[in-house]
Amino acid sequence: MTPAFRPIAFVLNGRRVAVRVHPLKRLLDVLREDCRLTGTKEGCGEGECGACTVIVDGKAVNSCLVPVAQAAGTRVTTIEGLHGRHRLQAAFAELGGAQCGICTPGMILAASTLGPKPTLDEVRTGLAGNICRCTGYEGIYRAIKAANKARGARREARGEGREARGTARARTAARRRRP
Amino acid sequence: MRTAISPLVVKQPRTLKDALRMLRDDGPLTPLAGCTDVYVGLNFGTLRDARFLNIWGLDDLRGIDVRGDVLRIGALTTHAEIVRSVLVRRRLPMLAAACREVGAVQIQNRGTLGGNIANGSPAGDSLPVLAAAEAFVELRSAEWTRTVPFGEFYTGYRKSVMRPDELITAVEIPRVEGAQWFRKVGTRAAQSISKVVMAAVRASRPRIALGSVAPTVVRARSTEEALAAGGAIEEAQRLLQDEISPIDDIRSTEAYRRFVAANLLMQFWTDTAPRGRARPGVNRRTR
Ligand SMILES: Cc1cc2nc3c(=O)[nH]c(=O)nc-3n(C[C@H](O)[C@H](O)[C@H](O)COP(=O)(O)OP(=O)(O)OC[C@H]3O[C@@H](n4cnc5c(N)ncnc54)[C@H](O)[C@@H]3O)c2cc1C
Ligand code: FES
Ligand code: FES
């Protein structure tokens, strides 16, 4: 016998959804079980590891610590919301930013909330709540740096004719840095 | 999640008034703010509470402003909002420094100042700051609003004067004169609970408060008096040992905590020395 719950509505990856679940169910479990988006991972279940990171109203949060009631009326972005096309995703894949992949969705989402040109220090601080047991982090930092360079280059490109050179330079630089 | 959620009940007030009425008429209810403490307890089955009050949506409890000469911070203001606040950075830089050290970004985006206070862990990083700043905690029930000096808020380990029908609504901090100083010593830079945390103000009468060295946050009054009277720092370090009562636990030992507390006092005193390298604002943390 399931009690009738009132629907809880939010915008998930750009689409409005409404779930009828216990209001204290973890956002993590609602995403995985009710919305069938299993890209969001559970590592520790206690806010330490960041594997469950999603973006709520522009801010990185641990979905294992959010009751779904507190997601009502918000905009939630999960890794699926990046559609595999985000520059960070390409850079992580190409430059050894992911190995087993458990930390990767959270890592990429957390990285996506850093400013346009984060320093290495800002990257370290911004990702301090995301633990990776495989990569040793260097591949991750490398990927984020390359992704931001590529983006800078694309930006320049749109304005001026310096595009090709900028992008090419970023690509070569990225390739050179590959282990 | 180890706690089965189906028997749990949650009330969802729309306004602060509703929330306070629910606490009075339907209590006891455990408030849910950013849930960074409560959900760890639920996920691990260590929290026995079954009835909750979701206050996250009460926007009246958010925000930072200055009224007269008093800095007022709503209970639901997150650590991230405090870190970014120009008002806090200008008037109470040691609080911004403390909130920057809470957990990591995800925790700072969700954890609140009111939750840090109400949770009452002796390791709460904002607590020594509020003690050294001589802040006031505003408590409201359906019937009254009262303001408690921070130094009188805690009555023992995780015990306070807050009643079950009250909420923390805000923290008020009068202007702080003198150089502010904050330092947290933990296992690593992020996500680590303090082994020792200290906040202090260098004024003609210095103010010194420490966390993780006793059942509640400690204001080191005899140490302060000795320093105010022109006593030697070594003498103050000795007095400090009588004002703290650290224990051995999974994070550290009594001996180490005593050693670190003495070192922090020395570091505060040299960092804020009136001549030489003293700088305005809060010390930059060195890792
Ligand atoms: C991985 C991790 C790392 C952490 N690191 C740190 C750290 O470095 N330093 C630190 O100090 N803390 C740390 N914490 C603890 C926690 O994040 C903070 O204590 C935070 O400020 C709690 O706020 P909250 O809004 O999430 O509280 P909640 O979990 O929502 O509530 C905590 C308690 O306070 C009560 N409460 C909340 N708001 C009110 C109110 N307005 N009135 C009355 N009662 C209220 C609740 O009922 C509950 O009992 C960490 C937690 C995690 C999970
Ligand atoms: S599963 Fe949420 S932080 Fe580890
Ligand atoms: S790639 Fe395996 S945990 Fe990060």
Side-chain angles (χ1 to χ4, degrees):
Chain A
M1 190 192 77
T2 31
F5 291 114
R6 279 206 228 121
I8 296 169
F10 54 98
V11 176
L12 177 58
N13 298 330
R15 288 175 48 193
R16 193 175 173 284
V17 296
V19 288
R20 287 179 183 273
V21 298
H22 194 293
L24 294 182
K25 192 168 181 178
R26 301 184 300 177
L27 178 59
L28 169 66
D29 299 325
V30 172
L31 293 171
R32 292 180 56 88
E33 295 165 6
D34 301 283
C35 304
R36 308 255 166 197
L37 296 181
T38 53
T40 307
K41 307 300 182 197
E42 173 162 17
C44 63
E46 58 172 7
E48 295 278 354
C49 77
C52 65
T53 300
V54 300
I55 313 286
V56 175
D57 286 340
K59 298 185 182 97
V61 307
N62 293 321
S63 61
C64 70
L65 300 182
V66 177
V68 67
Q70 294 188 348
T74 66
R75 303 183 69 86
V76 179
T77 304
T78 67
I79 192 69
E80 288 87 352
L82 305 187
H83 307 292
R85 294 193 295 263
H86 196 280
R87 62 200 150 73
L88 282 166
Q89 290 176 303
F92 267 63
E94 201 179 318
L95 296 171
Q99 287 182 28
C100 82
I102 287 288
C103 71
T104 315
M107 205 60 92
I108 288 181
L109 287 170
S112 76
T113 63
L114 300 172
K117 276 224 159 178
T119 62
L120 181 58
D121 230 36
E122 287 164 347
V123 173
R124 282 179 197 278
T125 312
L127 298 185
N130 293 80
I131 294 176
C132 175
R133 52 190 265 173
C134 304
T135 65
Y137 303 97
E138 289 308 318
I140 290 170
Y141 299 151
R142 193 159 55 222
I144 292 170
K145 193 170 170 191
N148 285 322
K149 253 198 186 153
R151 167 173 135 146
R154 266 204 303 281
R155 283 262 163 90
E156 253 176 49
R158 248 175 270 137
E160 315 267 295
R162 274 190 284 154
E163 170 198 11
R165 255 165 58 216
T167 326
R169 210 184 300 130
R171 267 203 221 104
T172 341
R175 222 176 289 129
R176 234 182 277 128
R177 252 175 277 108
R178 222 185 307 182
Chain B
M1 184 127 124
R2 205 163 302 164
T3 302
I5 52 170
S6 44
L8 305 183
V9 175
V10 59
K11 303 258 173 199
Q12 309 249 33
R14 282 166 192 277
T15 64
L16 176 57
K17 232 173 146 187
D18 278 356
L20 296 173
R21 217 178 294 129
M22 288 171 179
L23 279 175
R24 182 190 61 195
D25 301 336
D26 306 323
L29 293 161
T30 302
L32 295 177
C35 295
T36 59
D37 281 312
V38 172
Y39 260 56
V40 173
L42 278 183
N43 288 347
F44 282 83
T46 50
L47 187 75
R48 298 266 163 264
D49 306 7
R51 304 181 71 247
F52 297 91
L53 181 76
N54 179 15
I55 62 170
W56 182 252
L58 304 181
D59 287 338
D60 288 354
L61 301 188
R62 293 205 157 78
I64 301 169
D65 56 29
V66 174
R67 296 184 186 175
D69 212 20
V70 174
L71 177 68
R72 186 182 161 90
I73 305 178
L76 283 181
T77 308
T78 63
H79 298 292
E81 287 161 352
I82 290 172
V83 170
R84 276 196 307 269
S85 161
V86 176
L87 284 177
V88 175
R89 290 209 295 232
R90 197 178 301 147
R91 301 180 57 115
L92 200 61
M94 60 181 170
L95 183 62
C99 294
R100 192 179 288 119
E101 304 265 327
V102 171
V105 173
Q106 291 91 332
I107 299 294
Q108 290 171 16
N109 279 338
R110 214 69 196 173
T112 64
L113 186 61
N116 207 224
I117 298 169
N119 191 51
S121 157
D125 285 322
S126 71
L127 311 185
V129 171
L130 299 177
E134 301 191 335
F136 294 85
V137 180
E138 185 185 272
L139 296 168
R140 274 180 80 169
S141 75
E143 270 81 41
W144 63 74
T145 303
R146 60 181 177 132
T147 305
V148 180
F150 190 78
E152 292 165 23
F153 185 76
Y154 296 110
T155 53
Y157 178 68
R158 296 204 139 171
K159 289 201 170 60
S160 75
V161 299
M162 180 171 69
R163 297 172 33 131
D165 60 343
E166 288 177 322
L167 283 178
I168 299 176
T169 43
V171 178
E172 296 196 324
I173 306 114
R175 179 180 289 282
V176 175
E177 303 289 350
Q180 301 177 23
W181 191 90
F182 175 86
R183 179 78 199 269
K184 165 179 176 171
V185 176
T187 312
R188 67 183 192 110
Q191 302 286 52
S192 68
I193 307 293
S194 302
K195 294 179 181 200
V196 181
V197 52
M198 179 170 145
V201 177
R202 181 81 178 248
S204 52
R205 163 77 206 245
R207 301 184 199 161
I208 298 160
L210 296 98
S212 288
V213 294
T216 67
V217 55
V218 172
R219 182 77 187 270
R221 302 216 180 243
S222 323
T223 308
E224 293 173 4
E225 266 160 39
L227 289 169
I233 184 69
E234 292 77 12
E235 169 62 9
Q237 283 177 308
R238 267 193 301 280
L239 281 169
L240 180 63
Q241 298 302 326
D242 294 333
E243 299 196 85
I244 60 178
S245 49
I247 53 166
D248 292 347
D249 65 12
I250 49 162
R251 280 190 288 276
S252 192
T253 62
E254 171 184 352
Y256 179 76
R257 288 182 160 122
R258 287 191 177 280
F259 184 73
V260 171
N263 284 352
L264 289 182
L265 184 64
M266 174 69 88
Q267 202 186 337
F268 155 60
W269 205 242
T270 39
D271 283 357
T272 57
R275 264 164 225 281
R277 293 174 300 130
R279 285 156 293 167
V282 78
N283 61 303
R284 280 270 152 262
R285 187 197 153 92
T286 42
R287 284 211 170 103

